Amino acid sequence: MFIASVLGKFTTSRIIVYHCFFKRKYSNSNQIFINGKSYEVDSWTNVTPKIISYIGKNLHLQKSHPLSLLRERITNFFYFHYKNNRDVYRRDQIDSSHYPVFHQVEGVRLFLRHELFSLNPDAEGSIDVFEKGVRTETKQEVHTYDAARVVEYSLKSSLTALVRHLFGQNAEVRWVDAYFPFTHPSFELEMKFNGEWMELLGCGVLEHQTLVKAGVEDKIGWAFGIGLERLAMILYNIPDIRLFWSTDPGFLNQFNVSDINTNVKYKPISIYPPCPNDISFWLPGNADEFSDNDFYDLVRTVAGDVVEQVNLVDKFYHPKKKLYSRTYRIVYRHMEKTLTQEEVNKVHRLVEEAAERSLEVKIR
């Protein structure tokens, strides 16, 4: 099983473009620059400066990002079951569920003749993989009907299991015939969500000529592609696809979990700007005797709902003073108005005073 994490490494050879019907509208130069290299612009070029600006963001690799959590869950599923990266651009409509840059995971599973028997041991000796036949709606001209059916069964059962692994065993799914240039037959997997059928992924039996060109003409297999954003929006209740590109701690910190399988549900954040303030103090005794949760509770009690996040950002031991230190970042944000720094400072000072009084720490 080969899993391609089609995400983030935005090189020219990896850019997928669709509907390439316009010429040089976005540049006065005959060259574009990607990762420090220049490339000639031709009549097929439709990558805009805005799209190029997303190069290197690597959302799928950022700790505590919902796309990173989902990527790990998908790859862990396939590694567990089979023991075995690209960037994507598409011109698309503009709304809360479409964006010109998205992240995709792709996978391929290939079989030699004897490996098909492991899926259907009763068929050993009776299945031929290849023939000189005719192409139909259900198979390629080089594949026998029996081999095509076994591969299709493997494909559908594996991807159905993935969806139910992510969304629960009661997820209602259905298969729809489709067309893709590199697979035949091809399918889309849909899941019922909020009473409507929603496409989750595309897949199919790999076109044999693709394998021939790759030097593995003695194999048969299937492939799939999954867009992470749409799955993550469903899985985590994220209402707007633009949020994935947010650097707002109010969004990102909601996905700071120790277990990637945690059932996180996004909570809307304020439209008003955050005001982060740090607090540093010496602990009264041994670090093992201090509880972060005690400090979190104190902040909630003193500052109330104007606190959006509290995170430990630094800790160290001072060998000369023989004291332990903690630094926390408190993000203040009001749901109904913009907080001034003066207002935040007053609340922050109350938190410092309460920490010194109740936790016996010493503000640094």
Side-chain angles (χ1 to χ4, degrees), residues 282-291 316-317 322-326:
W282 299 111
L283 304 186
N286 192 297
D288 294 335
E289 299 172 357
F290 184 83
S291 170
F316 71 91
Y317 176 71
K322 296 183 178 180
L323 291 174
Y324 293 90
S325 172
R326 290 286 187 275

Side-chain angles (χ1 to χ4, degrees), residues 96-314:
S96 63
S97 62
H98 292 82
Y99 204 72
V101 178
F102 62 97
H103 295 73
Q104 183 162 305
V105 166
E106 293 185 350
V108 172
R109 189 178 188 194
L110 301 179
F111 304 93
L112 291 167
R113 182 178 182 274
H114 73 274
E115 291 172 318
L116 284 178
F117 300 151
S118 66
L119 304 178
N120 186 5
D122 293 336
E124 184 170 1
S126 64
I127 290 184
D128 286 323
V129 175
F130 301 108
E131 68 175 7
K132 292 182 179 180
V134 295
R135 191 179 187 92
T136 69
E137 291 183 356
T138 59
K139 77 174 195 72
Q140 299 172 37
E141 59 273 21
V142 297
H143 294 155
T144 65
Y145 176 84
D146 288 338
R149 293 288 69 74
V150 173
V151 173
E152 181 181 330
Y153 172 80
S154 170
L155 176 157
K156 290 184 175 180
S157 60
S158 298
L159 296 178
T160 298
L162 169 64
V163 170
R164 290 184 170 148
H165 169 74
L166 294 174
F167 296 100
Q169 294 303 309
N170 294 325
E172 188 175 353
V173 299
R174 72 178 182 184
W175 288 96
V176 178
D177 291 339
Y179 167 79
F180 301 111
F182 301 110
T183 56
H184 180 80
S186 301
F187 313 95
E188 290 176 346
L189 180 57
E190 298 182 345
M191 182 180 77
K192 185 164 281 190
F193 179 68
N194 288 339
E196 301 288 337
W197 288 104
M198 176 177 285
E199 176 197 341
L200 296 182
L201 58 88
C203 60
V205 179
L206 273 167
E207 284 283 1
H208 189 63
Q209 279 304 308
T210 302
L211 297 180
V212 170
K213 291 178 180 179
V216 285
E217 60 270 19
D218 57 341
K219 294 185 178 182
I220 185 174
W222 50 263
F224 70 89
I226 302 175
L228 290 185
E229 276 84 349
R230 181 167 293 180
L231 262 66
M233 291 177 75
I234 300 172
L235 191 62
Y236 301 123
N237 285 1
I238 297 173
D240 194 315
I241 198 169
R242 293 173 298 176
L243 284 168
F244 292 111
W245 297 92
S246 172
T247 58
D248 193 315
F251 173 72
L252 295 175
N253 287 336
Q254 294 187 39
F255 301 92
N256 185 11
V257 294
S258 58
D259 182 357
I260 61 173
N261 296 304
T262 301
N263 185 25
V264 180
K265 296 302 179 185
Y266 168 75
K267 296 178 182 178
I269 58 177
S270 171
I271 62 172
Y272 298 98
C275 293
N277 275 33
D278 289 354
I279 179 173
S280 299
F281 47 73
W282 299 111
L283 304 186
N286 192 297
D288 294 335
E289 299 172 357
F290 184 83
S291 170
D292 293 329
N293 289 330
D294 288 343
F295 178 70
Y296 299 152
D297 288 342
L298 180 144
V299 174
R300 293 189 190 98
T301 300
V302 174
D305 291 339
V306 297
V307 172
E308 184 174 80
Q309 298 285 336
V310 184
N311 291 291
L312 176 65
V313 294
D314 183 57

